[in-house]
Amino acid sequence: MADHFVLNTGARIPSLGLGTAKTEPGTVGEAVYAAVKAGYRHIDCAPAYRNEKEIGLALKKLFEDSVVKREDLFISSKLWSGNHAPEDVPEGIDTTLEDLQLDYLDLFLIHAPVRTEKGAIRTAANYIPLDVPATWGAMEKLYDSGKARAVGVSNFSCKRMEDLFAAARVTPAVNQVESHPGWQQKKLRELCQSKGVHISAYSPLGRPGSPAFTGPSFLGNPIVTSFAEKLQKTPAQVALRWGLQMGQSVVPKSTNETRIKENFDIFDWSIPEDLMSKFSEIPQIKTLRAEFVVHPQGIYKTVEDFWDGEI
């Protein structure tokens, strides 16, 4: 298994990245530094995580210490919900580049199908209707300029992807979504693959311990645990390896150096095909339902509205 996938732009996205969502201040920089030293080459960021300045300092130190060069890394970030207006999209990437102390991003994503007025607090009651074609047109210009070497989306359903394909001049390179053995996204993955869009999986281990987590962890499913025992790997390593063999990159989050290194040990072994077929028997439960987007007076009255019924 290669350590990267090739995007429709020709760029290479590393198979494994480090997620940085909701990481405690003062810990994300150390995690980024440790991950890159351990071999990670993709760092996934977002203004919504409120830690890009700290990540920028860690990147600067990595470059100054000659651990890696900028061209060795694949850095992704996302568009803030208050910068969806076409005239505000350039400001969105410029703020991120300034905080990360970079000249360009390898990948810039529309973070989610949620939009607020510029400067508004991001709450469900404050969401306003989207204009994805207009926002995407501004994203395409960032791609044209080279500030974003690839552009894509995150948390887009099949319906939203179909709508975007109909309007896009530049096909999105990536759709970053929740995907793991407990929520395999078969329909979405097949659609994206048919259009040359790479699936990148956030929460590839589910979300155990997260306030947004609902339901039992698939990591305790007998299929996963028995495979882990048979392959002499951890359930988490089996889950990450499943993602790679399904053709998607994975971006697990951790600030624990031991866990960061453990998650990297997914390249020199594989899950046999007869075992891979058994993953279809795992009950499918979406763990990030996104109740936080729902409001009686908002544009999303139910979580089904937000996910277009694909939940």
Side-chain angles (χ1 to χ4, degrees), residues 129-259:
L130 298 163
D131 186 352
V132 172
T135 303
W136 187 252
M139 296 283 286
E140 290 174 328
K141 290 178 181 177
L142 295 180
Y143 173 68
D144 294 338
S145 73
K147 276 190 178 180
R149 297 195 171 179
V151 288
V153 294
S154 181
N155 297 301
F156 269 44
S157 65
C158 289
K159 181 182 184 303
R160 293 189 192 281
M161 292 303 293
E162 293 280 20
D163 291 346
L164 181 53
F165 293 143
R169 171 176 59 87
V170 175
T171 301
V174 170
N175 186 10
Q176 188 185 93
V177 295
E178 178 188 357
S179 182
H180 47 70
W183 188 246
Q184 298 181 19
Q185 299 268 38
K186 183 175 184 290
K187 181 181 176 184
L188 180 65
R189 185 173 62 252
E190 289 176 350
L191 171 65
C192 287
Q193 286 177 343
S194 74
K195 299 289 188 177
V197 179
H198 176 73
I199 291 286
S200 187
Y202 70 72
S203 297
L205 303 177
R207 299 174 65 86
S210 166
F213 177 76
T214 57
S217 171
F218 72 83
L219 292 175
N221 183 282
I223 291 175
V224 178
T225 56
S226 66
F227 290 178
E229 184 176 354
K230 183 174 294 188
L231 297 167
Q232 296 186 303
K233 299 295 177 181
T234 67
Q237 288 170 330
V238 169
L240 295 174
R241 181 67 199 187
W242 172 87
L244 266 58
Q245 289 184 220
M246 293 302 292
Q248 59 197 34
S249 56
V250 291
V251 283
K253 183 190 82 171
S254 181
T255 57
N256 180 294
E257 187 170 355
T258 299
R259 193 70 52 78

